[in-house]
Amino acid sequence: MQNDFRNTKYCPALNEISVKKENVAGMVKNDHPKARDMHHYISKNELPYKLEFMRAYNCKCAYCGASTQVLPKRMFEIDHFFHEKSARFCTKADAGYIENLVLSCQACNRKKLALPIPDEAITFLNPDTEEFKKVFHRDEEYYIRISSQYEHNDIVSNFYSTLELNSDTHRLDYLLMSMIGLQQKLTPDHPASGKLGAAIQLLHERRNMRT
C-alpha cells in the first residue's frame, strides 16, 4: 500500500472516503429532501453533518494531514475541490455536490482559494484518490516534498507553492501528531510519559506562535 504523507505511523489509514461522504449526503437528504447544495449544510459547525464529514477523513485535513489532535474543530472547513466560482458551474449550488467537497484545515483552504484545477490534474490532485498519495512525500526531516515523478509537473508545483505545503507549520503538525500518537501508546506511569507530555505542550505553543 502506498505510504500516505498525511499520516504518521500512529494514524489510521484513510479508506472508503467516497462511501463515507455519500453516507453524510444521505443524512442531509434524509433531513432535507430537497437539498442540492451539500456544502450549505455540511459546512455549518452547529449542525451534525460537519462532524460526520470530518470523520470520513479521520478528522484530518485532506491536503496537509493536520488533525484534530493539533487543531480544534472550528479550524476545519469544507473546501470545494473545484472552486464554486469555476466556469464549470452555473451557480454556487452546483458546486456543492458531495464529490466536490473536501475536508481542509483553515490554512490550506484559504490559501487554495480559487486555484484552478485543470481537468488533466483531477486524477492526481484530488486528495480522495490513491494517486494523490504518490504526488507528495515526507522527507527525513518531516517536511512535505513533491515526489520525484511529479517534481517537473508545473501544475503540481503551483498547487504545492500555493498551499505552502513545505511550511514549518505543516512539519510541526506532523511532529506533534507523531508525539501524541506515541504518548497514547505509553502507560501513564511510563518514565517517558511525563517528559513527552511536556515536550508536546512546548511544541504546541511553538506551533501556535507561527499562526
Side-chain angles (χ1 to χ4, degrees), residues 55-78:
R55 286 172 175 161
Y57 286 92
N58 292 341
C59 297
K60 295 170 65 69
C61 174
Y63 297 115
C64 73
S67 77
T68 48
Q69 289 179 312
V70 295
L71 294 172
K73 175 187 173 184
R74 61 180 173 79
M75 295 296 287
F76 286 87
E77 299 176 341
I78 312 302

Side-chain angles (χ1 to χ4, degrees), residues 32-72:
H32 308 277
K34 295 183 179 180
R36 187 164 66 92
D37 183 359
M38 293 293 110
H39 185 272
H40 174 75
Y41 298 93
I42 296 172
S43 62
K44 297 183 183 299
N45 281 307
E46 67 272 17
L47 297 180
Y49 316 118
K50 180 178 179 179
L51 181 57
E52 290 304 312
F53 191 85
M54 291 176 67
R55 286 172 175 161
Y57 286 92
N58 292 341
C59 297
K60 295 170 65 69
C61 174
Y63 297 115
C64 73
S67 77
T68 48
Q69 289 179 312
V70 295
L71 294 172

